[in-house]
Amino acid sequence: MQYRAARVIHCGAIALHFTPADPYAMQTRLTRLLGIAHPIVLPGMTYVAVPSLVAAVSEAGGLGILASGGMSADECRAAIRQVRAFTSKPFGVGCSLMLPGAAACAEVAVQEQVPVLNVSMGKDDQLVQRVHAYGGHVIATVSSEKHARSALDSGVDGLIVTGHEAAAHGGAVTSLVLIPAVRDMTELPIIAAGGFADGRGLVAALALGADAVAMGTRLAASKESPLHEVTKQMVVDKAAEDTIYSSNFDTFPCRVMRTPGGEKYTARRLSPPRVVARSLRAASEMNTPMGQLARDALREGPLQAVKIAYFGAATLAMRKAMHQGDHVQGVQLIGQSQGLVHDLPSVAEIIERTLAQGREVQQAWASAN
Ligand SMILES: Cc1cc2nc3c(=O)[nH]c(=O)nc-3n(C[C@H](O)[C@H](O)[C@H](O)COP(=O)(O)O)c2cc1C
């Protein structure tokens, strides 16, 4: 077997396995479950985790997760097929179950028998059973112990645990505390998200009880990322503290880059009439049928409908920052780990570098003891 342990380095509580053929290969519960080479994951970032970036991460031995947010069922199917055209390695599809269109994309993901379905913002026990029926795996994204318990009860195969440092919807508790707290609840694979951008973070995450890291900010600032070049350079230039954590952007606590646009959007919540207008504009720009949108929004009750409207309004600002590099009208989701991003290498370089640095950290510990 390619990744069978040949040499084991023990550092404190963790033991990593390296093979002579590939000295950077590292085995964990997650790599074994999914049959991937490296414990590094591209999380499902809307408008960023597109087929080419997803495939680049999976080709480099990690797990790329396609973001289905904002896609119709047909677009989602086409995107899944595009990933498969680029790579034969395992990949995932992310569905934020609360959002309009997510149920249809999840259905497509099941029909296409994707290796990994990553669910967030909700749970669906039947969906989990259907993925298991074809031999796939379900990973739930959670940002609190309460949500972790609920996801575990639904029968998922692993968790992405998102700490406070993360871009977008990290929880109230930092990765340093949340990951070991969730590890105490389960033996299933855990992917640590929020603040992980290099080999030091990878080893730290493993020491906290995780089996892999999801690197959002770091991989969004890669050569293959579809982020606008202006925005990529801003990730390089900004410091760790140049973020804002606020629930005024899309009603959920959300971390964005400190920019004129970010400051404007988080200063106060948009008024309901402007939210409805912007959300309808976003839906029409994305060719979302209005009847379907209204049905999806109202299905979960009026409170959810309001949240969905805010989400829709937020997508307009997100796309301006991501696609046009406009940080006056736009808002960029970003994590504190932007302070660890100093260049814009390829995905393969980021993964190789992360593994090499992780190994150096481990070797330094081993030789010091
Ligand atoms: C540019 C960008 C876009 C993101 N978009 C989403 C999204 O649409 N939905 C979501 O749940 N998380 C999104 N995230 C958050 C990631 O899924 C992940 O939780 C986070 O990036 C991990 O923290 P890190 O940025 O420190 O690596 C996004 C992150 C970035 C950097």
Side-chain angles (χ1 to χ4, degrees):
M1 223 170 91
Q2 195 187 354
Y3 302 114
R4 179 162 295 153
R7 189 157 63 95
V8 182
I9 297 178
H10 291 272
C11 292
I14 52 171
L16 298 185
H17 302 249
F18 298 100
T19 65
D22 180 353
Y24 300 146
M26 210 184 264
Q27 258 196 339
T28 70
R29 273 174 282 218
L30 187 84
T31 61
R32 284 190 289 268
L33 178 75
L34 304 181
I36 57 176
H38 308 308
I40 295 178
V41 175
L42 169 79
M45 304 177 272
T46 307
Y47 309 128
V48 180
V50 296
S52 51
L53 185 59
V54 170
V57 172
S58 288
E59 268 299 291
L63 180 77
I65 299 180
L66 177 77
S68 70
M71 286 182 187
S72 67
D74 287 346
E75 286 165 345
C76 186
R77 195 183 303 282
I80 290 170
R81 292 184 177 176
Q82 220 177 337
V83 174
R84 283 202 158 115
F86 292 145
T87 183
S88 56
K89 302 221 171 128
F91 67 97
V93 173
C95 294
S96 293
L97 294 178
M98 196 197 86
L99 297 183
C105 284
E107 184 60 37
V108 166
V110 171
Q111 287 167 7
E112 294 289 317
Q113 304 201 344
V114 300
V116 175
L117 182 65
N118 171 214
V119 294
S120 58
M121 295 183 153
K123 68 182 186 111
D124 182 339
D125 303 16
Q126 281 189 354
L127 189 59
V128 174
Q129 286 167 19
R130 291 178 65 211
V131 173
H132 287 166
Y134 69 73
H137 299 291
V138 181
I139 294 178
T141 297
V142 297
S143 56
S144 69
E145 288 181 73
K146 183 175 157 220
H147 289 155
R149 171 56 56 215
S150 166
L152 291 169
D153 289 347
S154 73
V156 298
D157 306 289
L159 299 172
I160 297 181
V161 178
T162 315
H164 183 64
E165 304 91 329
H169 305 119
V173 178
T174 60
S175 295
L176 195 61
V177 174
L178 188 59
I179 290 154
V182 176
R183 169 48 73 216
D184 287 343
M185 296 164 61
T186 179
E187 287 302 310
L188 291 177
I190 289 176
I191 300 164
F196 302 100
D198 59 25
R200 296 167 298 184
L202 172 60
V203 173
L206 297 175
L208 292 172
D211 304 283
V213 286
M215 303 200 301
T217 296
R218 174 64 277 192
L219 289 164
S222 63
K223 201 185 266 176
E224 293 92 334
S225 160
L227 276 196
H228 194 280
E229 291 305 317
V230 164
T231 305
K232 286 187 193 176
Q233 191 54 44
M234 286 173 76
V235 180
V236 171
D237 295 341
K238 294 272 181 186
E241 58 265 35
D242 293 334
T243 70
I244 304 170
Y245 186 67
S246 166
S247 52
N248 281 347
F249 182 50
D250 62 13
T251 75
F252 289 91
C254 184
R255 190 175 299 283
V256 304
M257 191 185 276
R258 186 173 289 284
T259 58
E263 284 182 339
K264 189 176 73 183
Y265 267 81
T266 54
R268 70 186 72 81
R269 209 168 272 189
L270 279 180
S271 66
R274 291 183 82 184
V275 164
V276 171
R278 281 195 199 181
S279 135
L280 292 177
R281 207 167 100 216
S284 108
E285 279 184 20
M286 289 153 72
N287 299 320
T288 308
M290 293 297 162
Q292 181 64 45
L293 184 70
R295 270 196 303 280
D296 278 359
L298 289 169
R299 198 184 48 211
E300 308 288 338
L303 189 64
Q304 287 302 81
V306 170
K307 284 184 178 291
I308 288 168
Y310 272 93
F311 252 84
T315 60
L316 274 185
M318 280 163 56
R319 281 183 294 145
K320 279 190 180 135
M322 289 186 193
H323 295 159
Q324 296 165 23
D326 176 352
H327 295 277
V328 176
Q329 301 299 327
V331 178
Q332 180 60 46
L333 305 181
I334 213 69
Q336 292 181 338
S337 60
Q338 71 179 348
L340 303 173
V341 172
H342 307 301
D343 54 8
L344 302 168
S346 69
V347 163
E349 276 176 273
I350 291 171
I351 291 182
E352 273 164 31
R353 213 195 259 183
T354 301
L355 296 167
Q357 191 185 36
R359 192 179 64 148
E360 274 167 32
V361 170
Q362 295 242 311
Q363 284 174 336
W365 282 351
S367 56
N369 291 304

